[in-house]
Amino acid sequence: MTASEYKKVAVITGGSRGIGKAVAEALVAQGIRVVIGDILDDDGHQTAQELNHQCAGDTQMAAYIHTDVTLYKDVIALFRFAEATFGGVDIAFLNAGIISGADNVFLPLEDEVEVNLPKVNVTGVVKCTKVAVLHMAKRGGGVIVNTASVAGFLSGMQLAHYYATKHAVVGWTRSMKMLKDICNVRVNAVCPHWVATDMQGMILNKEGDDPYKQLVEQSPRVKMETVVRGVMMLIEDEKRNAETLLTLPGDVIRVQEPIAEYEELSTSEYAALVDGYQPRVLDHYKKQLEQALDRYGFLDVYRKQQSVEPSAFSYSTKELEDDHRRLATTKIKGMMVLVICSFTTTAASPATRCASSQSMHAILRHDLNFG
């Protein structure tokens, strides 16, 4: 089954340019509506505009909202905005990442030196995953693709901190395997080699005689099309779960398998322990999911979803309209604000939808009380 058959909605962090933009273009080409979250506002608005202009007719296919992935306030606003604009979230491509400050072993011993890299590359992925799961569970399932790197399996002195963050993304991705059984959400990671992006450009444009710069200049590169194809494989193939997919020069795509199980743990006693553990922990996390959905205000819709077939993700027209109205009613500093979501109707003009979308941005960017 291809992505175009889903007719679904994707959220992309770091989607204003580079890999994120290329994946957005591929999704829109298959009929998937896209919401881009980024801190590069000019680029983000431009990308959304380009994606909408590529589509025939008045159908809105893309929207943008400023998003700092290190802040729950922004992440929640991003996914709520996707709900209000297009009716839900089925795909999340968590692509936001940085490389600046990675060569920091001998930098001054100042606390702020080590803060940003793991905050964006690791904590940002964790926060976005936690919010995405709630929205996808409500819909009956979905798929998350994280941008890791071949650096998640290698090591190197000059970008040691960056390598460490990508190792963390690989570990986080593989650790989410049970989500498929908890709430029908798959989590995978695409792991590219060097791609011609702004991130690589930061190293190539570095001043001075840096040996690593010379190495990167002469390193083989992976084509952007190869990376996009890898992401689409992880989205479309429902058998892929907790998978780390390498995208390499020469248009090579292959799975990087986890290390083999330790022989010292391969005992019948340990196997029996694991067999008894699995059903108990699954039940434990299903209860925790319901508690999280209740705090987020999605529990009733989630329970309703459980009474239908898992693959039936779409709403009826009335349910969609009711959900839009509910999502547009938010508590801001003790006051109830009702936003008329005219941009979600097919009858609204692109200009009307754009103006309404900007109004929704302003509201969702406040410190919302979703309780």
Side-chain angles (χ1 to χ4, degrees):
M1 183 177 290
T2 65
S4 60
E5 291 178 273
Y6 288 117
K7 300 298 183 186
K8 294 188 177 181
V9 181
V11 165
I12 301 179
T13 65
S16 294
R17 56 193 187 191
I19 295 173
K21 181 179 180 180
V23 170
E25 291 171 343
L27 289 169
V28 168
Q30 293 200 14
I32 308 297
R33 288 165 172 78
V34 169
V35 175
I36 294 170
D38 209 320
I39 60 172
L40 304 173
D41 293 336
D42 290 342
D43 290 338
H45 285 297
Q46 179 66 29
T47 294
Q49 187 177 37
E50 290 174 6
L51 292 170
N52 284 321
H53 284 170
Q54 290 172 11
C55 302
D58 292 334
T59 303
Q60 183 185 13
M61 294 300 296
Y64 173 80
I65 182 171
H66 179 94
T67 306
D68 180 345
V69 296
T70 70
L71 302 174
Y72 268 126
K73 178 178 69 173
D74 280 20
V75 175
I76 291 170
L78 168 63
F79 282 86
R80 292 277 186 175
F81 175 61
E83 287 260 352
T85 307
F86 294 127
V89 179
D90 309 285
I91 301 162
F93 181 39
L94 306 184
N95 176 66
I98 61 174
I99 200 169
S100 56
D103 187 8
N104 60 23
V105 176
F106 298 115
L107 291 184
L109 306 181
E110 300 169 352
D111 290 333
E112 62 271 17
V113 170
E114 287 81 31
V115 170
N116 284 338
L117 204 62
K119 195 174 182 181
V120 175
N121 291 5
V122 182
T123 307
V125 170
V126 171
K127 289 184 175 182
C128 288
T129 299
K130 290 173 66 177
V131 176
V133 165
L134 298 177
H135 286 260
M136 292 177 183
K138 172 194 171 188
R139 295 269 273 185
V143 57
I144 298 169
V145 178
N146 301 319
T147 297
S149 169
V150 295
F153 310 103
L154 305 174
S155 59
M157 178 72 174
Q158 276 196 278
L159 294 179
H161 206 182
Y162 177 79
Y163 278 70
T165 65
K166 293 306 180 179
H167 276 258
V169 173
V170 168
W172 172 260
T173 300
R174 290 174 172 172
S175 297
M176 295 294 104
K177 186 175 183 178
M178 192 178 288
L179 276 178
K180 180 73 167 61
D181 295 322
I182 296 170
C183 56
N184 198 31
V185 173
R186 296 181 294 113
V187 182
N188 295 301
V190 64
C191 308
H193 191 259
W194 284 117
V195 191
T197 62
D198 294 330
M199 188 175 286
Q200 186 189 47
M202 289 182 63
I203 295 174
L204 296 180
N205 296 327
K206 195 174 181 181
E207 296 182 358
D209 184 20
D210 188 333
Y212 191 69
K213 174 182 174 180
Q214 297 172 14
L215 176 66
V216 173
E217 284 178 333
Q218 299 176 37
S219 293
R221 290 166 176 72
V222 59
K223 295 179 181 178
M224 185 67 77
E225 307 92 270
T226 306
V227 180
V228 172
R229 189 159 63 90
V231 173
M232 298 303 289
M233 288 169 59
L234 294 172
I235 290 172
E236 294 172 354
D237 188 346
E238 296 182 5
K239 294 180 181 178
R240 296 181 185 272
N241 182 39
E243 191 169 276
T244 48
L245 195 65
L246 300 171
T247 55
L248 303 170
D251 199 29
V252 173
I253 297 177
R254 68 168 179 262
V255 176
Q256 177 64 58
E257 298 290 353
I259 62 173
E261 183 178 322
Y262 298 117
E263 292 181 5
E264 292 81 0
L265 298 179
S266 300
T267 65
S268 57
E269 292 82 1
Y270 184 71
L273 180 65
V274 171
D275 288 344
Y277 165 81
Q278 292 294 343
R280 294 199 308 272
V281 76
L282 185 60
D283 182 62
H284 169 76
Y285 280 120
K286 285 185 176 181
K287 290 176 181 177
Q288 284 205 352
L289 170 64
E290 290 210 352
Q291 292 170 0
L293 288 165
D294 191 26
R295 290 193 300 269
Y296 203 69
F298 278 1
L299 183 57
D300 290 343
V301 179
Y302 170 74
R303 284 178 171 169
K304 182 179 179 181
Q305 175 63 39
Q306 299 309 295
S307 66
V308 300
E309 291 296 322
S311 59
F313 296 157
S314 59
Y315 289 153
S316 68
T317 301
K318 184 178 185 303
E319 288 174 321
L320 189 58
E321 291 174 350
D322 290 344
D323 203 32
H324 284 167
R325 293 190 184 96
R326 181 182 60 78
L327 285 165
T329 306
T330 59
K331 298 177 183 178
I332 303 178
K333 297 181 180 178
M335 297 179 64
M336 297 301 295
V337 178
L338 178 63
V339 180
I340 307 301
C341 298
S342 60
F343 60 90
T344 63
T345 67
T346 56
S349 67
T352 301
R353 289 197 301 270
C354 180
S356 300
S357 174
Q358 291 170 352
S359 298
M360 181 62 77
H361 287 193
I363 291 171
L364 291 174
R365 289 276 301 149
H366 277 271
D367 188 9
L368 303 180
N369 174 9
F370 293 118

